[in-house]
Amino acid sequence: GQQLNQSPQSMFIQEGEDVSMNCTSSSIFNTWLWYKQDPGEGPVLLIALYKAGELTSNGRLTAQFGITRKDSFLNISASIPSDVGIYFCAGHDSNYQLIWGAGTKLIIKP
Amino acid sequence: GAVVSQHPSRVICKSGTSVKIECRSLDFQATTMFWYRQFPKQSLMLMATSNEGSKATYEQGVEKDKFLINHASLTLSTLTVTSAHPEDSSFYICSAGRDRGYNSPLHFGNGTRLTVT
């Protein structure tokens, strides 16, 4: 099925560094959602975006709904060990179908 | 916040048996729940949309007779994997939103790891 282009696929960073990941689509999306999934568990919603240009923060996390409505990014500032996991973007396309990115695996070197 | 509970978290069954997985919305009513399957190191794959009081809507390629979905109440949906085979071994996750509309983000259960021997 359709999938969003999420990058990078994986990241190896030092503790304390900032992290940035993004998702793009070829068509307009109505919502953008960012989830984090820990091993063996279900995804947990981090941030939900509903309007083009919207910039929303959740603690050290910041996400934006791109002005073109075809992209979104998620930033994590000052990463800590518990930030490790897989981050998924998702969004509702023009048919209100929820489409998923392939995930970004975050690995933090102590 | 919204909480979705999924049970069991792990199940091992023999080939040919059936397994039922429950998904409950604990603090809200969910007219729609979703069932996903996730293979290792891959994203979630939508299997079906469970509608309270009506038949589930299955995605292309998903066998409705094999993956039986029942959404008998506004807080409970069940997925039954019938006559399970080793290839059905996977991580199954349910989700639900407070409202039917897309402005209600989905909250996920913790998943069920199914192993068919």
Side-chain angles (χ1 to χ4, degrees):
Chain A
Q2 184 183 357
Q3 198 169 63
L4 294 169
N5 297 314
Q6 184 172 351
S7 64
Q9 195 172 43
S10 61
M11 302 181 72
F12 293 78
I13 63 166
Q14 295 279 359
E15 182 178 349
E17 289 184 350
D18 297 341
V19 173
S20 184
M21 61 191 78
N22 70 84
C23 272
T24 61
S25 73
S26 56
S27 58
I28 289 174
F29 272 54
N30 291 312
T31 68
W32 287 95
L33 309 168
W34 285 94
Y35 289 86
K36 180 185 180 227
Q37 185 176 26
D38 292 324
E41 298 184 14
V44 174
L45 180 67
L46 300 174
I47 294 177
L49 303 162
Y50 300 105
K51 295 194 314 186
E54 182 180 353
L55 182 71
T56 299
S57 293
N58 178 7
R60 293 178 294 105
L61 279 61
T62 302
Q64 184 161 33
F65 192 139
I67 198 70
T68 65
R69 296 174 64 188
K70 294 182 178 182
D71 64 326
S72 176
F73 71 74
L74 173 70
N75 288 342
I76 305 172
S77 62
S79 58
I80 59 177
S82 61
D83 289 335
V84 298
I86 301 178
Y87 292 80
F88 289 100
C89 66
H92 287 95
D93 65 11
S94 57
N95 294 318
Y96 304 127
Q97 296 295 310
L98 185 63
I99 310 299
W100 289 84
T104 295
K105 186 174 183 179
L106 182 61
I107 301 166
I108 297 177
K109 296 175 283 188
Chain B
V3 178
V4 175
S5 173
Q6 191 171 336
H7 178 81
S9 58
R10 290 179 180 273
V11 58
I12 301 173
C13 70
K14 291 188 175 181
S15 187
T17 61
S18 296
V19 174
K20 180 185 283 189
I21 303 170
E22 292 186 348
C23 181
R24 295 180 184 273
S25 57
L26 297 185
D27 60 352
F28 66 100
Q29 292 183 330
T31 54
T32 304
M33 291 186 176
F34 303 88
W35 286 97
Y36 291 84
R37 184 173 180 176
Q38 187 176 32
F39 292 102
K41 299 182 181 181
Q42 294 190 24
S43 186
L44 288 78
M45 182 187 77
L46 179 65
M47 297 175 66
T49 301
S50 173
N51 305 299
E52 187 268 335
S54 64
K55 290 183 179 180
T57 305
Y58 289 81
E59 295 299 300
Q60 192 173 8
V62 178
E63 298 176 59
K64 64 177 73 174
D65 294 330
K66 180 163 190 62
F67 299 100
L68 300 179
I69 291 173
N70 184 276
H71 195 151
S73 76
L74 285 170
T75 59
L76 173 64
S77 175
T78 60
L79 169 68
T80 301
V81 183
T82 63
S83 186
H85 291 286
E87 58 266 28
D88 298 325
S89 298
S90 190
F91 193 54
Y92 294 88
I93 311 174
C94 70
S95 70
R98 286 185 181 274
D99 304 311
R100 197 185 283 271
Y102 68 93
N103 280 328
S104 178
L106 296 178
H107 297 271
F108 287 80
N110 268 338
T112 297
R113 172 72 60 193
L114 170 63
T115 303
V116 184
T117 61

